[in-house]
Amino acid sequence: MRLRSLLLVSAFFLLTGTAAAQSASSSSIGGVTLSVTDGRTTISPGGSTIYIVTASQSTQPTRDVTITLEMPLGTDLITADNGGTVNGRTVRWGNATLTQNTNRIFTAQARALNSLTNGTVLTAVADAGGTQATDTTTVQSGAAGAKSYALTFTDNASTVRAGPTLNYVLTIADNSASAQTATVTVQGPSSLTVQSGTPLPTSVGTNGASWSNVAFNAGETKTFTFNALISNDVRTNTIIDTKATVGATSLADLTRVDNNASSSSSRSSIR
């Protein structure tokens, strides 16, 4: 019987009356890593946004996780993924399993009520037994600074030895109010060779790949994966800088080569 521990992960949204710029963060305590983002700085009253909560752990082969999402007065829950159940303003994903050093992503779409006033700050706080990460978005009528997409991008490793294959995961949430089409590209350094991708890329270069004319429905989330091989001759302390771009939104994933390391450690990038 495999060992399991129960971990409560919760993310909740708070409304405050003070203005603040968008800020997304990730945090790791006791082997548990969390991040939360909606990929935007402002939102109009009545506007919708998608929050991405990413959880991982590094201490056991698997850990059972219950994830909750608490929505405050002033926002409506529209949808939740992965079979999340809704009770009032609480979304719950029960008995989710976190595999060691592998991210698991959960999303929920929220709507800012029409009655919200300019300057109101929506603060998303993810919590896992003391590990916290926050994201804030400010209500602004006619908000023009909102990004069309929220991204998470990771190879699930902060350090790696030269030679192995990195497995990248790119999650894209469409924050727009209507369907749109975009080209998705990933580009790495010359020491990285892209081998395959899912869905099948439109084109694959030596160190990059692209998916053309990807159609997103309003509020839709899509996941792209690809594998890339690190050259055997890459030296210790070389940074593998790989960038994902969707429309005008870009996000980099940084992995340091350490040829003396016995294993890799995990983390994720968010925007």
Side-chain angles (χ1 to χ4, degrees), residues 149-186:
Y149 303 98
L151 309 182
T152 64
F153 184 42
T154 184
D155 61 2
N156 288 308
S158 59
T159 59
V160 67
R161 296 173 66 91
T165 298
L166 293 175
N167 301 307
Y168 286 89
V169 179
L170 170 63
T171 300
I172 306 168
D174 179 5
N175 271 327
S176 67
S178 59
Q180 57 182 338
T181 300
T183 294
V184 178
T185 63
V186 292

Side-chain angles (χ1 to χ4, degrees), residues 25 49 62 64 69 97 115 143 147-148 165 217 232 240 242 258:
S25 68
T49 193
T62 60
D64 282 350
L69 209 63
T97 299
S115 59
K147 296 175 181 176
S148 296
T165 298
N217 294 320
N232 286 314
I240 306 298
T242 307
D258 183 356

Side-chain angles (χ1 to χ4, degrees), residues 33-93:
T33 301
L34 290 179
S35 67
V36 59
T37 183
D38 68 350
R40 61 195 302 163
T41 58
T42 56
I43 186 171
S44 298
S48 294
T49 193
I50 298 171
Y51 287 92
I52 301 175
V53 178
T54 305
S56 66
Q57 60 86 20
S58 60
T59 60
Q60 299 181 28
T62 60
R63 297 176 74 168
D64 282 350
V65 178
T66 295
I67 297 177
T68 63
L69 209 63
E70 298 291 339
M71 310 298 288
L73 294 173
T75 60
D76 286 336
L77 176 70
I78 299 175
T79 59
D81 74 344
N82 287 339
T85 59
V86 180
N87 182 9
R89 293 184 286 108
T90 302
V91 187
R92 183 179 187 273
W93 293 273

Side-chain angles (χ1 to χ4, degrees), residues 11-20 38 42-47 49 51 70-77 89 110-125 134-140:
F12 57 92
F13 301 87
L14 302 175
L15 287 176
T16 67
T18 58
D38 68 350
T42 56
I43 186 171
S44 298
T49 193
Y51 287 92
E70 298 291 339
M71 310 298 288
L73 294 173
T75 60
D76 286 336
L77 176 70
R89 293 184 286 108
R111 179 176 70 92
L113 298 183
N114 289 317
S115 59
L116 292 179
T117 58
N118 287 344
T120 300
V121 178
L122 302 177
T123 302
V125 182
T134 62
D135 178 277
T136 59
T137 306
T138 303
V139 175
Q140 177 183 321

Side-chain angles (χ1 to χ4, degrees), residues 189-209:
S190 59
S191 57
L192 201 68
T193 301
V194 175
Q195 297 178 311
S196 61
T198 302
L200 186 67
T202 305
S203 65
V204 176
T206 301
N207 56 332

Side-chain angles (χ1 to χ4, degrees), residues 6-12 25-35 56 63 66 125-134:
L6 184 63
L7 171 68
L8 177 64
V9 180
S10 64
F12 57 92
S25 68
S26 61
S27 180
S28 180
I29 297 176
V32 178
T33 301
L34 290 179
S35 67
S56 66
R63 297 176 74 168
T66 295
V125 182
D127 180 84
T131 303
Q132 292 192 338
T134 62

Side-chain angles (χ1 to χ4, degrees), residues 160 189 191 233-241 255-258:
V160 67
S191 57
D233 58 355
V234 178
R235 296 181 177 181
T236 293
N237 290 327
T238 298
I239 301 299
I240 306 298
D241 184 353
T255 301
R256 184 176 68 87
V257 175
D258 183 356

